[in-house]
Amino acid sequence: MIGYLIRRILQAILVTFFVSVITLLLVHLFPGGPIRALLGPRANATEVAYYNHLYGYNKPIYVQYIKYVGQLLHGNLGYSVKLNQTVTSEIASDLPKTVVLVFLGTAVSLIFGIPLGVYQAVKRYTVTDYVLTGVSFLGYATPTFFFALLLVEWFAVDTHLFPAFAPQGTTIGAVLSDPQALVLPVIAYAFLLYALWSRYMRSSVMDNLVQDYVRTARAKGASERRVLWVHVFRNSLISIVTLLGLSLPTLVAGAIFIEVVFNYPGMGLAFFQAAQNVDLQTLLGFTLLGTAATIIGNLLADVGYAVLDPRVRYS
Amino acid sequence: MAPLLEINNLQTHIQLRQGVVRAVDGVSIHVEPGETLGVVGESGCGKTMTALSIMGLLPTGGSIVGGSIKMSGREISALDAGDMRKIRGDEIGMIFQDPLTSLNPTMTVGKQIAEAVLLHREVTHAQAMDRAVEVLDLVGLPQARERVGEYPHQFSGGMRQRVMIAMALACEPKLLIADEPTTALDVTIQKQILELIDDLRQRLGMSVILVTHDLGVIAGRADRVVVMYAGKIAETTDTGSLFSNPRHPYSEALFHALPEKAAENRERLYSIPGIPPDLTNPPAGCRFAPRCRYVTDRCREEQPPLAGEEPGHLFACFHPVGEAEHGRTGTVSAHMPEQAPGPAPSQADGAGEVLLSVENLVKNFPVTKGVVLQRRVGWVSAVADISFSIRRGATLGLVGESGCGKTTIGRLVVGLDKPTSGSINFAGKDLAKSSGRQYRRERQDIQLMFQDAYASLDPRMRAGTVLREPLAVQRIGSRSEQQRRVGELLDQVGLPRSAAERYPHEFSGGQRQRLGFARALILSPQLIVADEPVSALDVSIQAQILNLMRDLQRELGLTYLFISHDLAVVRYLSSHIGVMYLGKLVEVGLADEVYLRPAHPYTRGLIDSAPVPDPETELAKVKAGIVGELPSAINPPSGCRFRTRCPLAEEICAEVEPPLRSFPGTGHLAACHFPLQSPMQTETITAAEVAGP
Amino acid sequence: MAMITPPADVPPEALQGPDAGGVLTATEAAKLGVEPTQKPRGMLRRSWEVFAENKLALASLGIVLFMVLFTFVGPLIYHTNQVNTNLATYLCKPSAKHLLGCNEVGYDELGRLMVGGQTSLEVGVAAAVVAVMIGTLYGAISGFIGGAVDSLMMRIVDAGLAIPYIMVIIILSVIYHPNPAIMILIIAAFYWLGVARLVRGETLTLRTREYVQAVKVVGGSGLRAVIRHVVPNAIGTIIVQATFAVADSILILSGLGFLGLGITAPATDWGSMLSGGLTYLQGGNYWWLIYPPGIAIILTCIAFNFIGDALRDAFETRLQRR
């Protein structure tokens, strides 16, 4: 297994290298270069040249790259001129709140998605299965923000059951102290993910249920319940762990829309505001963080996969 | 004594989209305590469905719609799920065909066996694990205590099947149902497993139902046999009578279709025409009537009852075999197997030119680790320094266990793989040296017949297009000439011309193999490499293909390199046999000389392991065969590669690789320090030559 | 699973004899070992039959057809002014004159739904087509060359997939202020990655199939193997992927529109319409600004998802052989 993990880590390092190249290229994609983006269309050529010199954007691209990687290695994700603070400090204040949202939303979606997926597989091709399948398809096809808007319309505006806005505190403590206000954002966040897990779990369990080893278990005299939970469930879960790792980009996307709709003061909202302000440094810094999270997420999924699947563990 | 299991008029239906399949239709079977009952038949005959009906493990859509199943006098076909579970794994154990997929990949074998114990006995977890070790020991798993914590993928195929058996026997059931338990295994391992089952049956005093398509497996193991055809019992009797005095025409036809029987005098195999009926809409009369050579009008209208003159020998036929004098209108001439007109002509003339000659052929496959860097950590020695030559018109049959390198040789010869070293000369030219257009033209002369015809036919192409493609690639003839050639070929392989318009999935297994043969023939090749062309087919269909291959060889003067794991098939079709072991050619010579007077202990073991459809022979050769399993080809044993499993091995075998030496007979060579016959001379032979006698 | 040989459909009369004139009898056919079957049906034909059995898929096809007619033919019948703002009809309720009311700058909502739908569908389909084309080419090349080149090409794809797509797309939108054409490229720029990985996997499996190897045995070139065998057999997977890609692209476009980063006014798309409607959500009950575009997006995406699902079943040979 160690060999397997070392291989995955080496791969991840190579991927990280390519990502750093891609993000640097992104900066230079901006018409007129990154400084034009910073200063806006009214800045004159002298100013642009001055800042290009100041930030080193006039140097050859490989020199820029080395400097850029050097900065990244020191944890320096850049400086937001628009907000007058380092991107790192923005992240420090916003990240924890986003983590709360992502964690709660994912947990809720898993708590519902996995058992219901198994249930659907067992009751396949019955009315319940069709209804739940319909719900899953709705989850796929509904834009996250639209679903969030509907929740606000129905449960906040019309019935006043829950607040329309997420908790506005600046610390995690403050966010968690208003659980009522978290209900709608978490549900909205969880919906698409629920569709993903339940659908995947359903097909995974169905695939496993027709495997030969299931017949063997029955031939031993195991009950259907035992067959399902002791034999099939574990084998199905293995594949969902990989999916979990691969879904991080989806998790990030969900966070942006939910935070915008509910005005939740996390990284997603900050990213949205940076987009409106053309705050390129913040946008890129956040993107790098998101990418790092995805790469690490994938690695963790590989570890989980190796732990769960003996065929990987002992090879 | 009351029977242990008594099945009466069992009817099992399977609901499919296009209708109800009457998979088991009025089957009555009984099993006495301590006996082995063989259930034999071709695929789709209902033998597996009968077994699954007993277990209550029918697939989705399947249900028992009539009849009774009594276990020790107790009706079990109508038990509720809970009560049935108490019987499964406790009173009746079952093992399946493929031991790899039949074991849970993410659970240790110990836990899987212990589960069976925990389900049926009031024991602690530790006690159950102890029992697991005990039964693993019982089934002959070395170091059972150390290995209980391992997962199925860490075991070899034969060991996995032992684990399956251990699981089925953990609660000492009174009845063991073995459904094709050795079909996925090599003959040497098959013999070990069958012996194990037999041994355990005696030691534990249980009964066994042995379900198989292989009459050879039945011959040495079963006390009584049930022959099934199309969901019904065709014949049932004790094993001896079935083999010596079959009464049902189907049983008789099966025997006549076996290459083992015909191999000695090379008579033409009897091939049962057609295919088994569609069980969603079976024929009104006898189900075998459309394929039977003794059929009368009565057979088509009325179902013959299962009856017989002597108790214990029942058959369902109006015109049983042995009563040829009266009541038969069928062509009697068809009854007598045609005598093939001597060996193939080219085999006789002996002096044909050397068509294919392979010299010092080596093929190593790299074993790599790492996705990015692809470090090479070793080599699989698939083919290790093999030399042989085949003269025009001869057939070299290559046999050996899976992993011995026979398929790799085939791929090297047809050019699908490149040799690591050595040369392949065809009609005097070195194939490795030609390139580009010349290479492409030379490809015409060597064609390949795949094992899995279905996989080798593009599912999106009509048969006609598939057959025309080689001509199009080689730019032979105009479109209409190509189409005419396709028509000729279809005639030759016995398919209607309309078949050209159909897609691969619309053919039966045998027809697809005919199609695969036609494609191999369309470029008028001189050499055909046939890689296990019949091993996926039922006996009756296998006979059709083997006959066709022989007929066309004679007609077209073909040379075959015939690859198979089945010694009987190889012996039947080949003029010469080459025996391979772990990348080495250990023995080669005329088919009969190798088969009847083997010099290499491995050849001897292989012959002894292969089940023969003759109870007397089978029972006589107890405790022969080969021990152990094929070692890894990554680090093959030093010296003689077979020494780790050889009963005669001594020190020299580990140190010096035995050279090929000549033995009495024409071109009979073997590589062994301690051969079973004395060699003719001591000089070393470098290349085996396969020619006529 | 249990071994059940699939029983053949047997209408014996359907079997045609060797020459156009003669008809083989069932017994003759049996002698030949020929199992009579219905007249030959091609892969596509069978796929269509499986697809057509799926009522949901047929309904979905109807929905897509309706949406196309609604958005492209609709404006020819229902004339509205979608260029000049009109304060007189500011947020007017649905009425006979404005069937779905008007929005915050006085555009007729139903007319806008048609115009916006044009953009959504155009961008969705075009982005999907571009992405699938690039991805297929890249994936097929990578899979076919194999070895170190393949390894390198796939790490680049991994890198692209590791960057959360929504972030890249937002940044690109910020940089380019997209019109529909640029929008198509932006969405495709991320979406092709997934397709490439999928097609590469498919190519790798197909390469090892025996019917592809059979080409080599008769002396055919690698190119022939790819064009005649690999591509036709991968096309099913690619079409299915393209169908899902349309739904995903429409969703991404609507998300950008909602964030105000989509198509710039006065042009619009369904997502951008929602962004306008959102502002008025909490101010009063302006349901006609919210539900129509939202439902249009959901219906269209769900339809494409159902179609993709049914196509996947239809192309699955395992199901066809049942």
Side-chain angles (χ1 to χ4, degrees):
Chain A
M1 179 165 90
I2 303 296
Y4 166 80
L5 285 180
I6 289 173
R7 202 160 69 224
R8 304 302 296 186
I9 288 169
L10 284 177
Q11 266 184 330
I13 290 171
L14 194 63
V15 167
T16 314
F17 165 74
F18 282 126
V19 168
S20 61
V21 173
I22 293 172
T23 43
L24 187 75
L25 288 179
L26 225 42
V27 174
H28 285 275
L29 270 182
F30 202 91
I35 297 304
R36 182 62 70 182
L38 187 72
L39 301 177
R42 273 167 302 183
N44 62 42
T46 329
E47 286 171 311
V48 171
Y50 171 75
Y51 279 102
N52 263 333
H53 180 74
L54 191 70
Y55 285 99
Y57 283 129
N58 54 353
K59 299 219 172 69
I61 191 93
Y62 68 91
V63 177
Q64 288 184 39
Y65 181 74
I66 293 167
K67 182 176 160 224
Y68 169 73
V69 171
Q71 282 178 352
L72 290 184
L73 290 177
H74 288 92
N76 180 355
L77 289 173
Y79 186 82
S80 164
V81 182
K82 298 268 159 84
L83 296 176
N84 201 16
Q85 60 175 334
T86 61
V87 175
T88 330
S89 68
E90 278 183 72
I91 290 173
S93 76
D94 293 340
L95 180 62
K97 285 169 275 182
T98 297
V99 169
V100 169
L101 177 69
V102 170
F103 178 79
L104 286 176
T106 311
V108 168
S109 64
L110 285 171
I111 287 170
F112 285 92
I114 290 185
L116 282 174
V118 176
Y119 181 78
Q120 277 183 267
V122 174
K123 303 270 173 198
R124 58 192 171 277
Y125 310 130
T126 62
V127 176
T128 343
D129 177 34
Y130 286 130
V131 169
L132 286 172
T133 299
V135 172
S136 299
F137 268 96
L138 215 55
Y140 278 144
T142 310
T144 315
F145 63 88
F146 182 66
F147 182 65
L149 283 178
L150 291 182
L151 288 185
V152 171
E153 165 84 6
W154 296 335
F155 298 104
V157 178
D158 291 355
T159 55
H160 302 287
L161 284 174
F162 297 102
F165 289 106
Q168 296 300 309
T170 47
T171 60
I172 299 190
V175 168
L176 289 176
S177 66
D178 191 3
Q180 269 241 314
L182 272 176
V183 172
L184 291 186
V186 167
I187 292 178
Y189 186 80
F191 187 45
L192 168 69
L193 296 175
Y194 159 78
L196 210 64
W197 312 141
S198 69
R199 200 80 198 129
Y200 201 78
M201 203 61 192
R202 177 182 181 272
S203 71
S204 185
V205 169
M206 272 171 62
D207 281 351
N208 272 291
L209 273 174
V210 298
Q211 297 298 310
D212 286 349
Y213 72 82
V214 169
R215 191 180 52 186
T216 308
R218 291 194 181 122
K220 271 188 258 185
S223 62
E224 282 310 298
R225 193 190 208 139
R226 193 178 165 83
V227 166
L228 186 66
W229 294 107
V230 174
H231 293 276
V232 169
F233 186 63
R234 187 189 162 111
N235 282 296
S236 307
L237 216 51
I238 289 173
S239 40
I240 216 160
V241 167
T242 320
L243 187 69
L244 206 57
L246 291 174
S247 311
L248 261 144
T250 317
L251 300 189
V252 171
I256 291 177
F257 288 112
I258 296 299
E259 292 189 7
V260 170
V261 172
F262 291 97
N263 202 28
Y264 183 98
M267 281 184 71
L269 189 61
F271 191 82
F272 170 64
Q273 285 157 351
Q276 288 184 318
N277 296 332
V278 199
D279 183 352
L280 208 56
Q281 293 298 330
T282 303
L283 290 176
L284 283 177
F286 279 27
T287 305
L288 272 180
L289 184 76
T291 309
T294 309
I295 293 175
I296 293 170
N298 284 342
L299 263 180
L300 287 179
D302 286 341
V303 174
Y305 187 68
V307 168
L308 282 172
D309 193 333
R311 282 163 296 189
V312 179
R313 207 185 325 156
Y314 298 101
S315 63
Chain B
M1 202 160 35
L4 178 69
L5 179 80
E6 196 171 9
I7 300 177
N8 243 313
N9 197 23
L10 177 69
Q11 290 181 317
T12 300
H13 288 183
I14 297 163
Q15 184 77 49
L16 287 183
R17 264 156 73 137
Q18 65 267 57
V20 176
V21 180
R22 293 178 180 79
V24 182
D25 198 355
V27 163
S28 302
I29 289 175
H30 65 106
V31 181
E32 303 294 334
E35 80 167 343
T36 298
L37 176 74
V39 178
V40 70
E42 295 178 283
S43 48
C45 72
K47 55 191 193 301
T48 293
M49 284 305 134
T50 306
L52 292 177
S53 299
I54 300 170
M55 290 295 278
L57 287 177
L58 289 168
T60 317
S63 60
I64 298 173
V65 295
S68 83
I69 304 172
K70 282 193 181 129
M71 182 76 190
S72 312
R74 179 183 175 206
E75 178 64 44
I76 61 169
S77 66
L79 285 184
D80 68 43
D83 289 332
M84 195 61 218
R85 278 202 299 276
K86 285 189 193 126
I87 291 175
R88 282 202 289 265
D90 189 7
E91 286 184 53
I92 313 176
M94 184 160 181
I95 54 179
F96 304 97
Q97 178 171 336
D98 186 348
L100 177 58
T101 57
S102 295
L103 289 167
N104 185 339
T106 61
M107 202 186 244
T108 65
V109 297
K111 273 196 186 154
Q112 294 190 53
I113 298 169
E115 186 184 17
V117 183
L118 284 165
L119 283 166
H120 299 289
R121 300 281 183 273
E122 298 289 322
V123 291
T124 64
H125 204 84
Q127 285 169 322
M129 280 313 259
D130 285 343
R131 174 68 185 155
V133 175
E134 207 176 295
V135 282
L136 280 175
D137 226 22
L138 185 75
V139 298
L141 187 84
Q143 291 138 17
R145 182 151 302 272
E146 285 77 47
R147 300 201 72 179
V148 279
E150 293 186 7
Y151 291 89
H153 73 275
Q154 293 167 286
F155 291 82
S156 67
M159 286 302 154
R160 281 189 208 122
Q161 196 58 295
R162 284 174 195 264
V163 170
M164 276 299 291
I165 294 172
M167 196 184 309
L169 299 186
C171 294
E172 306 207 339
K174 291 179 216 145
L175 175 66
L176 175 71
I177 302 177
D179 184 11
E180 302 271 11
T182 54
T183 307
L185 306 173
D186 275 311
V187 276
T188 56
I189 311 299
Q190 159 165 298
K191 186 161 175 66
Q192 295 169 13
I193 295 293
L194 290 173
E195 252 154 35
L196 175 71
I197 293 176
D198 225 24
D199 180 48
L200 291 170
R201 174 180 63 87
Q202 283 161 23
R203 277 161 68 183
L204 305 177
M206 61 181 179
S207 308
V208 174
I209 297 181
L210 185 59
V211 178
T212 179
H213 69 283
D214 190 336
L215 285 163
V217 166
I218 291 284
R221 311 289 163 190
D223 299 304
R224 287 188 306 114
V225 186
V226 171
V227 180
M228 286 189 71
Y229 183 78
K232 284 185 166 294
I233 293 180
E235 181 163 3
T236 172
T237 178
D238 64 277
T239 311
S241 322
L242 179 74
F243 283 81
S244 61
N245 181 26
R247 303 301 303 274
H248 197 284
Y250 176 64
S251 317
E252 185 202 41
L254 275 184
F255 288 125
H256 285 164
L258 284 174
E260 284 91 338
K261 297 264 173 177
E264 271 160 58
N265 40 10
R266 314 241 164 190
E267 36 183 38
R268 199 183 152 79
L269 296 176
Y270 174 70
S271 62
I272 308 175
I275 54 167
D278 174 8
L279 290 183
T280 52
N281 186 18
C286 172
R287 300 219 169 145
F288 187 58
R291 305 174 72 190
C292 184
R293 41 186 158 177
Y294 313 122
V295 65
T296 59
D297 286 342
R298 185 179 175 203
C299 306
R300 296 203 183 88
E301 283 149 20
E302 220 178 303
Q303 285 198 13
L306 190 64
E309 293 111 42
E310 327 152 32
H313 193 162
L314 307 177
F315 43 86
C317 185
F318 294 124
H319 315 293
V321 181
E323 291 174 14
E325 292 71 38
H326 49 267
R328 277 202 193 156
T329 55
T331 44
V332 182
S333 62
H335 182 196
M336 296 306 296
E338 261 176 67
Q339 189 78 28
S346 42
Q347 276 171 235
D349 62 31
E353 51 163 326
V354 169
L355 189 64
L356 176 78
S357 116
V358 165
E359 277 157 35
N360 303 102
L361 196 62
V362 174
K363 178 66 184 177
N364 294 328
F365 290 104
V367 182
T368 55
K369 265 195 178 165
V371 175
V372 189
L373 300 169
Q374 304 258 324
R375 286 171 300 120
R376 203 182 61 237
V377 295
W379 296 102
V380 170
S381 171
V383 174
D385 193 10
I386 282 187
S387 305
F388 63 83
S389 58
I390 310 179
R391 287 188 188 270
R392 189 182 293 280
T395 299
L396 172 63
L398 282 181
V399 276
E401 292 167 276
S402 45
C404 72
K406 55 189 192 298
T407 293
T408 308
I409 288 196
R411 289 178 61 90
L412 291 170
V413 169
V414 297
L416 279 175
D417 282 326
K418 293 262 162 285
T420 308
S421 67
S423 69
I424 302 170
N425 292 295
F426 183 79
K429 277 176 289 195
D430 187 346
L431 284 183
K433 291 213 177 88
S434 54
S435 59
R437 189 177 297 164
Q438 189 196 352
Y439 176 80
R440 207 178 63 188
R441 211 170 40 237
E442 281 167 7
R443 285 264 61 81
Q444 292 186 42
D445 289 331
I446 309 176
Q447 288 297 307
L448 177 67
M449 217 174 143
F450 290 88
Q451 166 175 4
D452 184 349
Y454 193 44
S456 75
L457 301 169
D458 189 330
R460 273 158 221 267
M461 276 192 180
R462 288 171 198 270
T465 320
V466 170
L467 291 183
R468 215 159 54 75
E469 187 173 34
L471 297 173
V473 166
Q474 299 284 357
R475 303 206 184 90
I476 296 171
S478 67
R479 205 190 157 87
S480 63
E481 281 165 354
Q482 290 175 358
Q483 263 153 358
R484 198 163 56 237
R485 176 93 180 110
V486 168
E488 282 167 27
L489 249 302
L490 287 173
D491 290 349
Q492 259 177 339
V493 299
L495 289 172
R497 291 208 172 192
S498 61
E501 296 301 313
R502 288 195 266 148
Y503 287 86
H505 74 101
E506 296 175 290
F507 294 90
S508 70
Q511 290 174 325
R512 279 185 213 126
Q513 199 51 279
R514 283 173 197 264
L515 212 52
F517 193 27
R519 175 173 56 190
L521 287 172
I522 199 145
L523 290 172
S524 313
Q526 302 178 54
L527 174 71
I528 288 187
V529 177
D531 186 3
E532 303 267 13
V534 293
S535 40
L537 304 174
D538 276 314
V539 184
S540 66
I541 311 294
Q542 167 179 300
Q544 294 173 5
I545 301 295
L546 290 177
N547 280 339
L548 184 67
M549 287 183 73
R550 273 183 67 152
D551 293 347
L552 289 182
Q553 175 171 42
R554 204 171 299 122
E555 220 170 284
L556 306 171
L558 293 168
T559 308
Y560 289 138
L561 177 59
F562 186 85
I563 296 162
S564 178
H565 68 284
D566 188 334
L567 206 56
V569 169
V570 166
R571 187 182 170 210
Y572 172 72
L573 199 74
S574 311
S575 58
H576 295 69
I577 293 179
V579 181
M580 287 190 67
Y581 187 80
L582 212 56
K584 292 276 180 193
L585 189 64
V586 297
E587 179 159 7
V588 64
L590 280 178
D592 281 348
E593 277 169 14
V594 171
Y595 190 83
L596 300 173
R597 290 179 292 280
H600 200 284
Y602 179 64
T603 312
R604 171 88 263 159
L606 212 53
I607 293 166
D608 288 342
S609 303
V612 174
D614 177 19
E616 278 174 42
T617 323
E618 272 301 299
L619 292 172
K621 66 182 193 193
V622 206
K623 298 296 172 200
I626 299 171
V627 294
E629 300 187 14
L630 198 70
S632 160
I634 294 176
N635 287 308
S638 63
C640 173
R641 289 190 175 184
F642 181 57
R643 70 175 160 85
T644 51
R645 299 167 76 188
C646 184
L648 308 174
E650 289 183 22
E651 252 170 62
I652 185 178
C653 300
E655 288 152 12
V656 181
E657 193 186 324
L660 275 174
R661 288 188 289 177
S662 274
F663 288 87
T666 319
H668 188 176
L669 308 175
C672 182
H673 290 300
F674 306 102
L676 304 170
Q677 298 178 45
S678 32
M680 301 216 305
Q681 62 206 66
T682 44
E683 71 175 272
T684 304
I685 310 291
T686 49
E689 191 171 280
V690 173
Chain C
M1 272 316 297
M3 299 290 285
I4 315 165
T5 29
D9 331 337
V10 192
E13 67 283 355
L15 191 96
Q16 294 300 310
D19 298 308
V23 173
L24 241 66
T25 65
T27 1
E28 276 171 320
K31 263 188 207 143
L32 289 167
V34 174
E35 125 207 35
T37 56
Q38 285 147 337
K39 68 175 180 197
R41 292 174 304 153
M43 207 72 171
L44 283 178
R45 180 83 185 278
R46 278 180 292 138
S47 300
W48 166 250
E49 279 168 20
V50 176
F51 183 87
E53 253 179 59
N54 189 332
K55 295 288 170 286
L56 223 46
L58 283 185
S60 300
L61 210 57
I63 291 177
V64 170
L65 222 62
F66 169 78
M67 284 294 175
V68 171
L69 288 177
F70 171 73
T71 54
F72 288 92
V73 182
L76 304 178
I77 299 157
Y78 186 79
H79 300 281
T80 53
N81 183 346
Q82 297 292 338
V83 180
N84 305 42
T85 55
N86 180 3
L87 287 179
T89 54
Y90 168 80
L91 286 178
C92 72
K93 280 199 167 68
S95 61
K97 205 169 164 215
H98 298 286
L99 289 176
L100 277 177
C102 296
N103 76 355
E104 69 278 7
V105 286
Y107 292 136
D108 178 276
E109 186 73 3
L110 183 60
R112 205 150 181 76
L113 205 57
M114 297 173 178
V115 178
Q118 287 181 7
T119 319
S120 281
L121 287 177
E122 279 169 6
V123 172
V125 170
V129 169
V130 172
V132 168
M133 269 169 28
I134 299 174
T136 301
L137 206 64
Y138 189 95
I141 291 173
S142 181
F144 194 76
I145 296 178
V149 176
D150 171 49
S151 220
L152 191 74
M153 285 176 84
M154 277 304 117
R155 291 299 85 73
I156 293 174
V157 168
D158 285 351
L161 285 172
I163 307 175
Y165 63 91
I166 194 73
M167 294 179 133
V168 191
I169 288 176
I170 287 176
I171 293 177
L172 289 174
S173 303
V174 168
I175 296 177
Y176 287 115
H177 306 289
N179 59 30
I182 293 177
M183 202 64 184
I184 290 166
L185 293 178
I186 289 177
I187 294 176
F190 126 80
Y191 205 94
W192 72 271
L193 295 160
V195 181
R197 182 185 265 184
L198 192 91
V199 171
R200 178 250 183 186
E202 189 79 7
T203 311
L204 280 186
T205 4
L206 286 175
R207 256 181 74 186
T208 62
R209 290 283 158 83
E210 288 190 345
Y211 57 80
V212 177
Q213 299 190 356
V215 178
K216 219 175 150 187
V217 175
V218 300
S221 61
L223 193 67
R224 183 183 184 92
V226 171
I227 293 173
R228 295 291 305 241
H229 299 280
V230 173
V231 171
N233 281 286
I235 211 93
T237 317
I238 295 167
I239 291 174
V240 169
Q241 203 53 29
T243 317
F244 289 135
V246 174
D248 289 346
S249 301
I250 291 176
L251 279 181
I252 293 169
L253 178 68
S254 78
L256 288 175
F258 169 74
L259 293 179
L261 299 167
I263 310 295
T264 33
T268 192
D269 70 274
W270 288 335
S272 302
M273 288 172 70
L274 276 169
S275 151
L278 166 69
T279 328
Y280 294 89
L281 180 68
Q282 279 128 2
N285 195 4
Y286 300 106
W287 58 266
W288 59 93
L289 296 187
I290 306 290
Y291 288 100
I295 290 171
I297 295 173
I298 295 176
L299 265 184
T300 313
C301 291
I302 227 171
F304 275 107
N305 273 319
F306 273 134
I307 292 173
D309 234 38
L311 281 177
R312 183 156 52 197
D313 288 350
F315 286 127
E316 181 97 44
T317 40
R318 190 164 49 102
L319 289 172
Q320 288 174 354
R321 290 168 71 185
R322 207 167 42 183

